[in-house]
Amino acid sequence: MKAAAKIISGAEYLIALTGAGVSRESNVPTFRGVDGLWRNYDPMQLATPHAFARDPKLVWEWYSWRQALIAECDPNPAHTTLAEWEANAILRCLITQNVDGLHRRAGSEKVLEVHGDLWATKCSSCGYRGRLDSPAVGIPLCPECNSMLRPNVVWFGESLNRDIMTRVHEELSLADVILVVGTSALVQPAASFPLVVKYTGGKIVETNIEHTPLTPASDVHVSGKAGEVLPLLDQLL
Ligand code: BJW
Ligand code: ZN
């Protein structure tokens, strides 16, 4: 913990990468692991363009269920600590794989949501983009062309948004320390972002309740729950 605090305090340009583990203590299920979303649902049946083409109703049911679940969740001390660090210019940018919006709700402003936003929609055939303000009922239709809307999230096999990726790469090149919180580091390209910082001479601080493929490349690994580790780290700065 002290070693992690020392690296963070000494950082010239600290950024963070978060995954589902940062929201676990807000009661948002993670994807993998014992109580993960993928235990009961096969991601390949739900989080792919092919799945949506085959059974859009099933895919929307899954997203609508998650929207309802997340609407009941609130940011936890991990989210609020990161938001405070941004406000105090300790943290320069937050890259998140999460689509739950909890970082923004905690007050973080410089957030790059690389896998999209659970409440955002886009048309499956025209360029329409929209937002839901309550969980979807059935299959929402495009107000412009009446085709099916889909969640504006990034599914397997899809490219990440180009403008967001440009900004991610700018941040990765500026960063000398990246704090990686609660990601299994299995899904590309996000899993490789910390390595970009490392290969340009920067450091990786990882915190997670388990080891990940990034642990061997990390300068420090802090074992523990994000909602406990981050406030403790804050006290040591
Ligand atoms: C705690 C905690 C607590 C718990 N405190 N910690 C072979 C090799 C390499 C790549 C590929 C490959 N085959 C295919 C690919 C590409 C593919 C990929 O990476 N696949 C791998 C699975 C093998 N990637 C893609 O397809 C990406 N696009 C792409 O590459 O485009 C180029 C391309 C185009 C065409 C063909 C090929 C390439 C897109 C990836 C999109 C991922 N989308 C999802 C769904 C988003 C929408 C939605 O939410 O529905 O994003 S999948 C899912 O995984 C979601 C997450 O953001 C993402 C990462 O998961 P995360 O956040 O790490 O969560 P978990 O559950 O895995 O881990 C939680 C962690 O928290 C654990 O470590 C716990 O220990 C920890 N934890 N409680 C701290 N309290
Ligand atoms: Zn449309």
Side-chain angles (χ1 to χ4, degrees):
M1 192 76 92
K2 277 189 189 150
K6 193 168 169 219
I7 293 176
I8 290 170
S9 310
E12 301 247 321
Y13 198 103
L14 173 72
I15 64 172
L17 171 69
T18 65
V22 83
S23 295
R24 184 66 198 90
E25 290 148 88
S26 297
N27 292 323
V28 179
T30 58
F31 291 89
R32 297 160 190 88
V34 265
D35 53 356
L37 285 170
W38 296 153
R39 298 281 291 193
N40 303 318
Y41 300 87
D42 178 356
M44 292 309 178
Q45 284 187 16
L46 296 166
T48 70
H50 181 68
F52 187 72
R54 193 181 49 213
D55 194 345
K57 192 165 163 282
L58 176 70
V59 172
W60 264 116
E61 269 167 22
W62 187 56
Y63 278 93
S64 165
W65 170 72
R66 288 172 60 203
Q67 286 163 345
L69 195 144
I70 284 165
E72 299 296 313
C73 297
D74 291 310
N76 70 59
H79 299 105
T80 49
T81 302
L82 291 168
E84 278 164 25
W85 286 358
E86 181 189 321
N88 297 331
I90 296 168
L91 181 70
R92 305 303 184 97
C93 180
L94 178 48
I95 303 169
T96 188
Q97 299 168 82
N98 300 344
V99 297
D100 59 30
L102 291 178
H103 284 303
R104 286 184 195 280
R105 282 174 53 197
S108 287
E109 287 174 8
K110 209 167 164 205
V111 185
L112 299 175
E113 293 170 315
V114 293
H115 291 162
D117 173 346
L118 194 61
W119 298 95
T121 58
K122 63 180 178 184
C123 179
S124 53
S125 62
C126 77
Y128 176 82
R129 299 266 186 288
R131 257 193 102 67
L132 298 171
D133 46 27
S134 55
V137 179
I139 303 175
L141 297 179
C142 176
E144 311 259 318
C145 75
N146 219 38
S147 301
M148 288 184 285
L149 292 178
R150 54 160 281 181
N152 196 354
V153 297
V154 182
W155 285 329
F156 286 114
E158 294 186 315
S159 303
L160 283 66
N161 177 284
R162 210 179 45 190
D163 295 339
I164 294 179
M165 283 302 281
T166 303
R167 291 171 64 197
V168 164
H169 282 291
E170 271 165 25
E171 295 297 333
L172 296 176
S173 69
L174 290 168
D176 62 340
V177 180
I178 183 163
L179 172 66
V180 184
V181 188
T183 174
S184 59
L186 292 171
V187 175
Q188 301 294 348
S192 299
F193 295 163
L195 299 176
V196 176
V197 174
K198 174 108 183 164
Y199 295 153
T200 52
K203 290 193 159 76
I204 302 174
V205 176
E206 178 185 62
T207 180
N208 199 307
I209 55 171
E210 63 180 23
H211 283 198
T212 76
L214 268 183
T215 310
S218 301
D219 294 270
V220 178
H221 173 91
V222 182
S223 187
K225 294 182 177 177
E228 293 167 8
V229 169
L230 266 58
L232 285 172
L233 273 178
D234 180 60
Q235 286 174 18
L236 294 174
L237 297 185

